[in-house]
PDB file of all heavy atoms in Angstrom:
ATOM      1  N   PRO F 270      27.447-113.000-120.579  1.00  0.00           N
ATOM      2  CA  PRO F 270      27.722-111.907-121.502  1.00  0.00           C
ATOM      3  C   PRO F 270      27.020-112.207-122.835  1.00  0.00           C
ATOM      4  O   PRO F 270      26.653-111.198-123.542  1.00  0.00           O
ATOM      5  CB  PRO F 270      29.247-111.970-121.649  1.00  0.00           C
ATOM      6  CG  PRO F 270      29.774-112.631-120.431  1.00  0.00           C
ATOM      7  CD  PRO F 270      28.711-113.575-120.058  1.00  0.00           C
ATOM      8  N   LEU F 271      26.870-113.392-123.213  1.00  0.00           N
ATOM      9  CA  LEU F 271      26.101-113.690-124.508  1.00  0.00           C
ATOM     10  C   LEU F 271      24.731-113.296-124.468  1.00  0.00           C
ATOM     11  O   LEU F 271      24.121-112.972-125.511  1.00  0.00           O
ATOM     12  CB  LEU F 271      26.233-115.224-124.791  1.00  0.00           C
ATOM     13  CG  LEU F 271      27.662-115.755-125.088  1.00  0.00           C
ATOM     14  CD1 LEU F 271      27.576-117.260-125.306  1.00  0.00           C
ATOM     15  CD2 LEU F 271      28.288-115.017-126.281  1.00  0.00           C
ATOM     16  N   GLY F 272      24.077-113.251-123.253  1.00  0.00           N
ATOM     17  CA  GLY F 272      22.650-112.971-123.270  1.00  0.00           C
ATOM     18  C   GLY F 272      22.295-111.570-123.570  1.00  0.00           C
ATOM     19  O   GLY F 272      21.208-111.270-123.944  1.00  0.00           O
ATOM     20  N   SER F 273      23.299-110.650-123.499  1.00  0.00           N
ATOM     21  CA  SER F 273      23.060-109.275-123.734  1.00  0.00           C
ATOM     22  C   SER F 273      23.535-108.818-125.159  1.00  0.00           C
ATOM     23  O   SER F 273      23.599-107.643-125.437  1.00  0.00           O
ATOM     24  CB  SER F 273      23.766-108.371-122.673  1.00  0.00           C
ATOM     25  OG  SER F 273      25.160-108.645-122.665  1.00  0.00           O
ATOM     26  N   GLN F 274      24.002-109.829-125.918  1.00  0.00           N
ATOM     27  CA  GLN F 274      24.480-109.493-127.266  1.00  0.00           C
ATOM     28  C   GLN F 274      23.331-109.344-128.242  1.00  0.00           C
ATOM     29  O   GLN F 274      22.222-109.887-128.117  1.00  0.00           O
ATOM     30  CB  GLN F 274      25.475-110.541-127.788  1.00  0.00           C
ATOM     31  CG  GLN F 274      26.651-110.772-126.833  1.00  0.00           C
ATOM     32  CD  GLN F 274      27.590-109.537-126.808  1.00  0.00           C
ATOM     33  OE1 GLN F 274      27.659-108.790-127.748  1.00  0.00           O
ATOM     34  NE2 GLN F 274      28.233-109.389-125.668  1.00  0.00           N
ATOM     35  N   SER F 275      23.613-108.591-129.421  1.00  0.00           N
ATOM     36  CA  SER F 275      22.658-108.484-130.496  1.00  0.00           C
ATOM     37  C   SER F 275      22.584-109.824-131.193  1.00  0.00           C
ATOM     38  O   SER F 275      23.473-110.675-131.132  1.00  0.00           O
ATOM     39  CB  SER F 275      23.069-107.429-131.426  1.00  0.00           C
ATOM     40  OG  SER F 275      24.250-107.734-132.076  1.00  0.00           O
ATOM     41  N   PRO F 276      21.434-110.133-131.941  1.00  0.00           N
ATOM     42  CA  PRO F 276      21.335-111.448-132.624  1.00  0.00           C
ATOM     43  C   PRO F 276      22.466-111.755-133.576  1.00  0.00           C
ATOM     44  O   PRO F 276      23.047-112.859-133.660  1.00  0.00           O
ATOM     45  CB  PRO F 276      19.961-111.322-133.375  1.00  0.00           C
ATOM     46  CG  PRO F 276      19.193-110.389-132.545  1.00  0.00           C
ATOM     47  CD  PRO F 276      20.204-109.347-132.072  1.00  0.00           C
ATOM     48  N   GLN F 277      22.921-110.686-134.342  1.00  0.00           N
ATOM     49  CA  GLN F 277      24.031-110.908-135.324  1.00  0.00           C
ATOM     50  C   GLN F 277      25.347-111.204-134.548  1.00  0.00           C
ATOM     51  O   GLN F 277      25.998-112.204-134.948  1.00  0.00           O
ATOM     52  CB  GLN F 277      24.192-109.661-136.093  1.00  0.00           C
ATOM     53  CG  GLN F 277      25.339-109.734-137.155  1.00  0.00           C
ATOM     54  CD  GLN F 277      25.088-110.787-138.173  1.00  0.00           C
ATOM     55  OE1 GLN F 277      24.006-110.919-138.768  1.00  0.00           O
ATOM     56  NE2 GLN F 277      26.122-111.604-138.550  1.00  0.00           N
ATOM     57  N   ARG F 278      25.614-110.475-133.510  1.00  0.00           N
ATOM     58  CA  ARG F 278      26.812-110.746-132.753  1.00  0.00           C
ATOM     59  C   ARG F 278      26.762-112.056-132.048  1.00  0.00           C
ATOM     60  O   ARG F 278      27.739-112.738-132.015  1.00  0.00           O
ATOM     61  CB  ARG F 278      27.012-109.592-131.739  1.00  0.00           C
ATOM     62  CG  ARG F 278      28.243-109.685-130.945  1.00  0.00           C
ATOM     63  CD  ARG F 278      29.524-109.727-131.773  1.00  0.00           C
ATOM     64  NE  ARG F 278      30.734-109.803-131.005  1.00  0.00           N
ATOM     65  CZ  ARG F 278      31.937-110.093-131.457  1.00  0.00           C
ATOM     66  NH1 ARG F 278      32.045-110.365-132.753  1.00  0.00           N
ATOM     67  NH2 ARG F 278      32.966-110.098-130.663  1.00  0.00           N
ATOM     68  N   LEU F 279      25.583-112.520-131.638  1.00  0.00           N
ATOM     69  CA  LEU F 279      25.414-113.724-130.888  1.00  0.00           C
ATOM     70  C   LEU F 279      25.769-114.947-131.808  1.00  0.00           C
ATOM     71  O   LEU F 279      26.569-115.815-131.374  1.00  0.00           O
ATOM     72  CB  LEU F 279      24.032-113.858-130.344  1.00  0.00           C
ATOM     73  CG  LEU F 279      23.642-115.252-129.731  1.00  0.00           C
ATOM     74  CD1 LEU F 279      24.482-115.430-128.453  1.00  0.00           C
ATOM     75  CD2 LEU F 279      22.166-115.267-129.377  1.00  0.00           C
ATOM     76  N   VAL F 280      25.209-114.951-133.021  1.00  0.00           N
ATOM     77  CA  VAL F 280      25.447-116.140-133.916  1.00  0.00           C
ATOM     78  C   VAL F 280      26.899-116.179-134.325  1.00  0.00           C
ATOM     79  O   VAL F 280      27.468-117.209-134.529  1.00  0.00           O
ATOM     80  CB  VAL F 280      24.500-116.081-135.149  1.00  0.00           C
ATOM     81  CG1 VAL F 280      23.053-116.248-134.662  1.00  0.00           C
ATOM     82  CG2 VAL F 280      24.663-114.790-135.958  1.00  0.00           C
ATOM     83  N   GLU F 281      27.547-115.002-134.495  1.00  0.00           N
ATOM     84  CA  GLU F 281      28.929-114.970-134.863  1.00  0.00           C
ATOM     85  C   GLU F 281      29.782-115.580-133.736  1.00  0.00           C
ATOM     86  O   GLU F 281      30.715-116.349-133.961  1.00  0.00           O
ATOM     87  CB  GLU F 281      29.401-113.570-135.173  1.00  0.00           C
ATOM     88  CG  GLU F 281      28.801-113.032-136.465  1.00  0.00           C
ATOM     89  CD  GLU F 281      29.199-111.618-136.710  1.00  0.00           C
ATOM     90  OE1 GLU F 281      29.869-111.026-135.807  1.00  0.00           O
ATOM     91  OE2 GLU F 281      28.872-111.068-137.773  1.00  0.00           O
ATOM     92  N   LEU F 282      29.497-115.234-132.497  1.00  0.00           N
ATOM     93  CA  LEU F 282      30.231-115.750-131.330  1.00  0.00           C
ATOM     94  C   LEU F 282      30.005-117.237-131.132  1.00  0.00           C
ATOM     95  O   LEU F 282      30.909-118.021-130.845  1.00  0.00           O
ATOM     96  CB  LEU F 282      29.825-114.975-130.023  1.00  0.00           C
ATOM     97  CG  LEU F 282      30.291-113.541-129.961  1.00  0.00           C
ATOM     98  CD1 LEU F 282      29.721-112.881-128.697  1.00  0.00           C
ATOM     99  CD2 LEU F 282      31.836-113.432-129.927  1.00  0.00           C
ATOM    100  N   VAL F 283      28.782-117.704-131.350  1.00  0.00           N
ATOM    101  CA  VAL F 283      28.401-119.106-131.265  1.00  0.00           C
ATOM    102  C   VAL F 283      29.150-119.896-132.376  1.00  0.00           C
ATOM    103  O   VAL F 283      29.793-121.003-132.011  1.00  0.00           O
ATOM    104  CB  VAL F 283      26.932-119.319-131.311  1.00  0.00           C
ATOM    105  CG1 VAL F 283      26.599-120.793-131.428  1.00  0.00           C
ATOM    106  CG2 VAL F 283      26.261-118.745-130.068  1.00  0.00           C
ATOM    107  N   ALA F 284      29.132-119.369-133.604  1.00  0.00           N
ATOM    108  CA  ALA F 284      29.813-120.108-134.656  1.00  0.00           C
ATOM    109  C   ALA F 284      31.308-120.200-134.430  1.00  0.00           C
ATOM    110  O   ALA F 284      31.952-121.228-134.633  1.00  0.00           O
ATOM    111  CB  ALA F 284      29.503-119.373-135.963  1.00  0.00           C
ATOM    112  N   SER F 285      31.933-119.047-133.999  1.00  0.00           N
ATOM    113  CA  SER F 285      33.297-119.057-133.678  1.00  0.00           C
ATOM    114  C   SER F 285      33.659-120.016-132.551  1.00  0.00           C
ATOM    115  O   SER F 285      34.691-120.743-132.645  1.00  0.00           O
ATOM    116  CB  SER F 285      33.748-117.597-133.342  1.00  0.00           C
ATOM    117  OG  SER F 285      35.121-117.579-132.948  1.00  0.00           O
ATOM    118  N   ASP F 286      32.818-120.058-131.545  1.00  0.00           N
ATOM    119  CA  ASP F 286      33.108-120.991-130.396  1.00  0.00           C
ATOM    120  C   ASP F 286      33.021-122.419-130.862  1.00  0.00           C
ATOM    121  O   ASP F 286      33.899-123.285-130.414  1.00  0.00           O
ATOM    122  CB  ASP F 286      32.070-120.717-129.281  1.00  0.00           C
ATOM    123  CG  ASP F 286      32.452-121.462-128.018  1.00  0.00           C
ATOM    124  OD1 ASP F 286      33.282-120.995-127.266  1.00  0.00           O
ATOM    125  OD2 ASP F 286      31.779-122.503-127.759  1.00  0.00           O
ATOM    126  N   ILE F 287      31.947-122.773-131.661  1.00  0.00           N
ATOM    127  CA  ILE F 287      31.850-124.185-132.129  1.00  0.00           C
ATOM    128  C   ILE F 287      33.025-124.577-133.018  1.00  0.00           C
ATOM    129  O   ILE F 287      33.536-125.650-132.954  1.00  0.00           O
ATOM    130  CB  ILE F 287      30.450-124.385-132.748  1.00  0.00           C
ATOM    131  CG1 ILE F 287      29.318-124.143-131.747  1.00  0.00           C
ATOM    132  CG2 ILE F 287      30.351-125.783-133.308  1.00  0.00           C
ATOM    133  CD1 ILE F 287      27.961-124.215-132.324  1.00  0.00           C
ATOM    134  N   SER F 288      33.343-123.631-133.859  1.00  0.00           N
ATOM    135  CA  SER F 288      34.528-123.898-134.798  1.00  0.00           C
ATOM    136  C   SER F 288      35.793-124.192-134.008  1.00  0.00           C
ATOM    137  O   SER F 288      36.527-125.158-134.327  1.00  0.00           O
ATOM    138  CB  SER F 288      34.680-122.716-135.790  1.00  0.00           C
ATOM    139  OG  SER F 288      33.605-122.520-136.515  1.00  0.00           O
ATOM    140  N   ALA F 289      36.026-123.377-132.989  1.00  0.00           N
ATOM    141  CA  ALA F 289      37.192-123.586-132.170  1.00  0.00           C
ATOM    142  C   ALA F 289      37.171-124.900-131.451  1.00  0.00           C
ATOM    143  O   ALA F 289      38.176-125.646-131.286  1.00  0.00           O
ATOM    144  CB  ALA F 289      37.415-122.420-131.130  1.00  0.00           C
ATOM    145  N   ALA F 290      36.002-125.298-130.988  1.00  0.00           N
ATOM    146  CA  ALA F 290      35.787-126.551-130.270  1.00  0.00           C
ATOM    147  C   ALA F 290      36.008-127.722-131.249  1.00  0.00           C
ATOM    148  O   ALA F 290      36.633-128.711-130.852  1.00  0.00           O
ATOM    149  CB  ALA F 290      34.453-126.630-129.601  1.00  0.00           C
ATOM    150  N   LEU F 291      35.621-127.612-132.481  1.00  0.00           N
ATOM    151  CA  LEU F 291      35.801-128.732-133.514  1.00  0.00           C
ATOM    152  C   LEU F 291      37.256-128.818-133.852  1.00  0.00           C
ATOM    153  O   LEU F 291      37.754-129.901-134.122  1.00  0.00           O
ATOM    154  CB  LEU F 291      34.943-128.479-134.740  1.00  0.00           C
ATOM    155  CG  LEU F 291      33.384-128.730-134.554  1.00  0.00           C
ATOM    156  CD1 LEU F 291      32.603-128.257-135.717  1.00  0.00           C
ATOM    157  CD2 LEU F 291      33.147-130.193-134.229  1.00  0.00           C
ATOM    158  N   ASP F 292      37.925-127.690-133.949  1.00  0.00           N
ATOM    159  CA  ASP F 292      39.380-127.757-134.283  1.00  0.00           C
ATOM    160  C   ASP F 292      40.137-128.539-133.193  1.00  0.00           C
ATOM    161  O   ASP F 292      41.068-129.204-133.472  1.00  0.00           O
ATOM    162  CB  ASP F 292      39.919-126.339-134.419  1.00  0.00           C
ATOM    163  CG  ASP F 292      39.423-125.679-135.719  1.00  0.00           C
ATOM    164  OD1 ASP F 292      38.993-126.412-136.631  1.00  0.00           O
ATOM    165  OD2 ASP F 292      39.435-124.414-135.747  1.00  0.00           O
ATOM    166  N   THR F 293      39.589-128.350-131.957  1.00  0.00           N
ATOM    167  CA  THR F 293      40.289-129.030-130.795  1.00  0.00           C
ATOM    168  C   THR F 293      39.887-130.450-130.795  1.00  0.00           C
ATOM    169  O   THR F 293      40.685-131.348-130.488  1.00  0.00           O
ATOM    170  CB  THR F 293      39.910-128.378-129.482  1.00  0.00           C
ATOM    171  OG1 THR F 293      40.282-126.917-129.549  1.00  0.00           O
ATOM    172  CG2 THR F 293      40.690-129.010-128.327  1.00  0.00           C
ATOM    173  N   ASP F 294      38.639-130.767-131.035  1.00  0.00           N
ATOM    174  CA  ASP F 294      38.118-132.135-130.923  1.00  0.00           C
ATOM    175  C   ASP F 294      37.167-132.451-132.134  1.00  0.00           C
ATOM    176  O   ASP F 294      35.935-132.075-132.089  1.00  0.00           O
ATOM    177  CB  ASP F 294      37.327-132.315-129.631  1.00  0.00           C
ATOM    178  CG  ASP F 294      36.834-133.758-129.479  1.00  0.00           C
ATOM    179  OD1 ASP F 294      37.285-134.593-130.217  1.00  0.00           O
ATOM    180  OD2 ASP F 294      36.022-133.938-128.523  1.00  0.00           O
TER     181      ASP F 294
END
Side-chain angles (χ1 to χ4, degrees):
L271 293 178
S273 59
Q274 302 295 329
S275 65
Q277 178 63 44
R278 181 61 178 164
L279 175 64
V280 296
E281 292 177 355
L282 291 175
V283 171
S285 175
D286 187 80
I287 296 175
S288 297
L291 287 173
D292 289 340
T293 304
D294 183 9

